[in-house]
Amino acid sequence: MIPLYNFQPEKVKDLSEIEKIFRSHDPAMAEARKKGQDIIYYLIDPEKNDAPPAVDCNSYYYSLWVLKGVNENPLLTRTVNYHRDILEGLIMDEKLDGEDIESYARSMGLSPDFDPVRELFYLPVDQFVSCNSRLSGSRYRLSYQLFREGKVILNRETLAKIMREFFVIRSIRAVHDISEESALQILQDIDYIDSLKELYRVVGSRGVLDLGSVDFKIFPPCMNEYISQMRDGVNLPHMARFTMVSFLNKVGMTRDDIIALFKTAPDFNERMTTYQVDHVTGNISGTEYSPPKCSVLQSNHLCYKGDDRLCNQEWLKHPLQYYSIKKRDMIRQGGVQTSSKR
Ligand code: SF4
């Protein structure tokens, strides 16, 4: 068993490693496969499935590949975030010393230097800023940091937060980078992917969202990702929240439904949310804002297009354009529902 803090993103895409996990008769690999499968069932429906197994790197790599086949971004995010929280707990375990944490961070692809005298870590600035936007709170902003020789000085807790966000970014990117061809090759003998898809469709998102007449199923990947992250307790960056509210308003969701959607966030603050929604939708500002263009979201690391066919068209410039094209296709196919504000 390889503990989760030995996670190496490159291994997710290493076909020879993945072949071993999927095909080996070694009992350890069979156990990893069983755990990887069990954790997905658990995360789809925690009420009906057994307590989650103790995960490790191999079971995690296995889960990520299976989820590539299932192709449901919210479920992928839920799985990654579940492992993220376990990883953070492991890093904070006091049995690990600073050198251990430095070497685990290095195996993931970060390069902190540990100072045993001061018990602090020095992390390159670019690595810090590639992760800190996913963390809310002024203490994670660059302007709040102290520096030494061009590196950010971090205590163990802050480094653990950066490591966990790095883990999320690299995990999701690795899954999106898996080619269709490799996925078909590796997953050809996995016979339960269709049943996972069906279970997720029926059970996985039940009771969480009631979007009325708004067509949630044709939202662009970025919107699905924000909604999924919010439900999973990630503190969304300001621009993601703004994009969500303005998008939902433009596609016809009512003010009250938008606020109700934000209630699914663990850190929901009604007064603040109501103010933000009323501001973006023009109720108090007098200006009804539009969501940013794809290029703006991309430059802020808030685009999650992965291999989505429509998002990868050169002419696709805006999340609302995505929605209206999908909507038009639905109308053509006779499956239209009418979006309207009450
Ligand atoms: S390409 Fe545009 S619509 Fe698609 S995920 Fe990225 S930002 Fe969203």
Side-chain angles (χ1 to χ4, degrees):
M1 183 171 120
I2 307 166
L4 200 55
Y5 46 57
N6 275 318
F7 170 72
Q8 293 176 35
E10 288 314 310
K11 289 207 173 163
V12 181
K13 293 178 285 176
D14 182 337
L15 275 187
S16 60
E17 282 286 328
I18 299 301
E19 284 270 4
K20 251 189 265 164
I21 299 172
F22 271 76
R23 315 248 185 264
S24 169
H25 296 298
D26 179 341
M29 293 303 178
E31 192 189 342
R33 292 193 289 271
K34 168 93 172 62
K35 284 178 181 177
Q37 181 178 351
D38 287 352
I39 197 69
I40 298 174
Y41 276 104
Y42 172 79
L43 291 172
I44 291 177
D45 193 358
E47 288 169 18
K48 294 261 172 61
N49 289 293
D50 293 340
V55 294
D56 55 68
C57 276
N58 285 337
S59 68
Y60 182 51
Y61 301 146
Y62 180 85
S63 309
L64 293 178
W65 273 80
V66 170
L67 289 167
K68 176 74 181 180
V70 175
N71 195 23
E72 288 286 355
N73 272 344
L75 182 58
L76 172 63
T77 306
R78 192 181 301 172
T79 307
V80 171
N81 287 348
Y82 176 83
H83 289 80
R84 170 203 70 186
D85 294 341
I86 292 174
L87 174 73
E88 187 179 5
L90 290 171
I91 298 166
M92 291 306 291
D93 184 334
E94 43 190 45
K95 288 202 282 293
L96 294 188
D97 61 27
E99 276 92 2
D100 291 331
I101 294 171
E102 180 189 284
S103 84
Y104 297 136
R106 286 180 179 275
S107 79
M108 287 169 66
L110 290 167
S111 44
D113 296 321
F114 177 59
D115 179 342
V117 177
R118 299 175 67 198
E119 300 219 336
L120 291 169
F121 298 88
Y122 307 124
L123 186 72
V125 174
D126 60 329
Q127 295 183 4
F128 180 81
V129 298
S130 69
C131 302
N132 75 330
S133 65
R134 299 174 60 91
L135 297 164
S136 69
S138 56
R139 68 198 160 120
Y140 300 117
R141 303 285 71 82
L142 190 61
S143 54
Y144 191 85
Q145 307 308 315
L146 297 172
F147 298 87
R148 177 180 175 272
E149 294 174 2
K151 295 187 174 181
V152 186
I153 303 174
L154 304 175
N155 61 20
R156 179 183 183 129
E157 189 190 342
T158 307
L159 179 64
K161 292 260 185 272
I162 293 293
M163 284 173 72
R164 70 168 222 180
E165 296 311 323
F166 187 77
F167 172 87
V168 170
I169 294 166
R170 296 299 297 271
S171 296
I172 288 178
R173 188 185 301 159
V175 174
H176 285 154
D177 285 349
I178 296 171
S179 69
E180 291 293 324
E181 194 188 357
S182 305
L184 281 174
Q185 179 193 330
I186 293 287
L187 300 172
Q188 57 186 329
D189 301 328
I190 306 300
D191 55 8
Y192 60 87
I193 288 193
D194 284 343
S195 76
L196 274 177
K197 281 185 185 172
E198 181 61 13
L199 185 66
Y200 180 73
R201 193 184 65 74
V202 175
V203 176
S205 55
R206 73 176 164 210
V208 178
L209 298 174
D210 176 7
L211 300 189
S213 56
V214 175
D215 297 313
F216 173 63
K217 288 263 175 222
I218 54 173
F219 278 8
C222 49
M223 289 299 305
N224 284 328
E225 180 69 23
Y226 306 155
I227 292 171
S228 165
Q229 287 193 14
M230 185 180 70
R231 283 171 36 204
D232 286 332
V234 175
N235 284 312
L236 292 175
H238 172 75
M239 182 177 284
R241 282 178 180 253
F242 170 84
T243 304
M244 263 181 75
V245 174
S246 51
F247 178 91
L248 294 170
N249 179 53
K250 289 285 185 188
V251 300
M253 190 183 271
T254 65
R255 167 191 178 276
D256 290 348
D257 282 348
I258 297 173
I259 293 170
L261 174 61
F262 274 85
K263 277 187 185 155
T264 59
D267 62 344
F268 175 69
N269 175 327
E270 181 144 22
R271 193 179 58 79
M272 180 76 77
T273 302
T274 303
Y275 176 80
Q276 286 175 342
V277 171
D278 282 342
H279 182 75
V280 175
T281 58
N283 285 339
I284 52 176
S285 62
T287 304
E288 189 181 342
Y289 290 89
S290 285
K293 289 193 278 195
C294 295
S295 56
V296 176
L297 294 171
Q298 280 155 8
S299 60
N300 283 277
H301 310 291
L302 291 172
C303 167
Y304 294 91
K305 65 181 175 183
D307 54 11
D308 186 283
R309 193 187 55 77
L310 189 50
C311 284
N312 281 288
Q313 302 297 324
E314 238 173 73
W315 43 261
L316 198 279
K317 304 285 183 214
H318 202 282
L320 286 172
Q321 187 187 6
Y322 182 105
Y323 184 81
S324 63
I325 290 168
K326 289 274 183 177
K327 187 97 180 172
R328 196 188 57 207
D329 289 348
M330 280 181 70
I331 293 169
R332 282 207 190 113
Q333 290 159 16
V336 68
Q337 303 165 27
T338 307
S339 272
S340 62
K341 293 183 188 182
R342 278 172 262 160

